[in-house]
Amino acid sequence: MAAPRPHPLADPSGLASYRDAVAYLETYIRGNAEPPADRDATGRERMAAMARLMAALGDPHLAYPTVHVTGTAGKGSTSAMLASVLQAAGHRTGLHTTPYLQEAVEKVQVDGRAIAPGTLTAVITDLRTLLGAQPSLAAEATFVHLWTAVTFEALRRCGTELAIIEASAGGRYDATNVVQPLVAVITNVGHDHLTFLGPTLADVAYHKAGVIKPGVPAVTAALHPDAVVIGSGLGGLTAGDRVHVEADVIGKYVQRLAAGSLAALATHDHL
């Protein structure tokens, strides 16, 4: 029987500073705002702000390859399984998931374990210094932006070779969508977060499909009707971009990952 996994904060050293660091990030929580009148314009502004924040940090999200995972259901378990496969193949694997179960630090894992609270504290401390020196970044930052930035930087400091990044909600304007992934995964499309992503299934698909980028393989476990809906949401790509969303092929990529071939992820017969 496998040994029980220790609590994320089993080591009490640095606990007070960790709590203070998390509390600092939580000061950026601004409550549940109403959906903006122009969701696309607001979304583009927020993504531009996220890009500026990442640039100020030295673009840690580009320091290692990523797999970007979104979908209505199963994205967390899919992310965890992909990370487990990569780890078993011998790769130092990062994982970002949301929400957490016990402690916020669980959102950032390396090789199946939450990163040390001291690592997270150091990253947040440096981020706080940066925001203090650049008030314009602090003024436009959101809690989600900051947590996502902390995740990317923490994974870089931990020597991550490849990271599985789960989107929080939607995808197109999710803070994680600054990544340039090896492959984009859309588990399925259903009626979720309709206040911000809806009201129709096509609207939700539009946001999920935003993780698909030109020249990047995109896979989904959705049935064919859902895959067609996903295809209808590819408005962010230009007419010259050739994208094929193939149903039920995640297993093929898992098999390639199990073989330890990261390069295999960068090719796809239909792109």
Side-chain angles (χ1 to χ4, degrees):
M1 180 180 296
R5 182 170 297 181
H7 188 278
L9 300 183
D11 181 2
S13 62
L15 186 57
S17 57
Y18 162 75
R19 297 288 190 202
D20 291 341
V22 172
Y24 166 72
L25 290 187
E26 290 175 346
T27 64
Y28 282 84
I29 296 176
R30 296 167 182 168
N32 295 321
E34 292 296 321
D38 189 334
R39 298 182 187 183
D40 282 314
T42 301
R44 287 190 293 269
E45 291 173 0
R46 290 176 178 171
M47 292 308 299
M50 183 63 185
R52 287 189 288 271
L53 176 60
M54 298 309 296
L57 288 169
D59 290 325
H61 61 300
L62 303 180
Y64 40 81
T66 55
V67 175
H68 201 192
V69 183
T70 190
T72 294
K75 61 188 177 76
S77 55
T78 297
S79 297
M81 286 186 284
L82 285 172
S84 179
V85 168
L86 283 164
Q87 182 184 348
H91 303 291
R92 185 164 175 79
T93 305
L95 174 63
H96 167 263
T97 58
T98 183
Y100 59 86
L101 296 178
Q102 294 175 291
E103 287 290 341
V105 74
E106 293 173 13
K107 290 183 177 182
V108 192
Q109 298 182 30
V110 175
D111 285 349
R113 294 185 180 277
I115 65 170
T119 299
L120 193 72
T121 300
V123 173
I124 295 174
T125 299
D126 290 345
L127 177 62
R128 185 172 188 172
T129 300
L130 173 68
L131 295 178
Q134 300 190 38
S136 61
L137 285 179
E140 64 185 6
T142 68
F143 173 74
V144 174
H145 283 171
L146 297 184
W147 253 115
T148 305
V150 165
T151 294
F152 289 136
E153 176 60 17
L155 291 176
R156 176 167 66 174
R157 295 189 187 188
C158 289
T160 299
E161 294 179 352
L162 187 145
I164 310 300
I165 305 297
E166 178 191 353
S168 298
R172 184 174 301 274
Y173 302 126
D174 188 81
T176 61
N177 204 27
V178 291
V179 297
Q180 296 294 324
L182 293 177
V183 59
V185 178
I186 303 175
T187 58
N188 47 45
V189 174
H191 294 86
D192 71 287
H193 295 87
L194 294 183
T195 301
F196 290 92
L197 305 181
T200 69
L201 188 63
D203 292 326
V204 176
Y206 169 75
H207 286 279
K208 306 293 185 189
V211 302
I212 300 175
K213 296 177 174 67
V216 175
V219 299
T220 182
L223 300 176
H224 288 289
D226 284 341
V228 171
V229 173
I230 290 173
S232 72
L234 297 178
L237 302 180
T238 65
D241 296 326
R242 295 175 60 243
V243 174
H244 177 88
V245 180
E246 183 177 342
D248 199 25
V249 296
I250 290 179
K252 297 179 183 178
Y253 281 86
V254 170
Q255 291 173 1
R256 294 180 185 181
L257 285 170
S261 176
L262 298 185
L265 277 172
T267 62
H268 195 284
D269 295 339
H270 299 284
L271 288 174

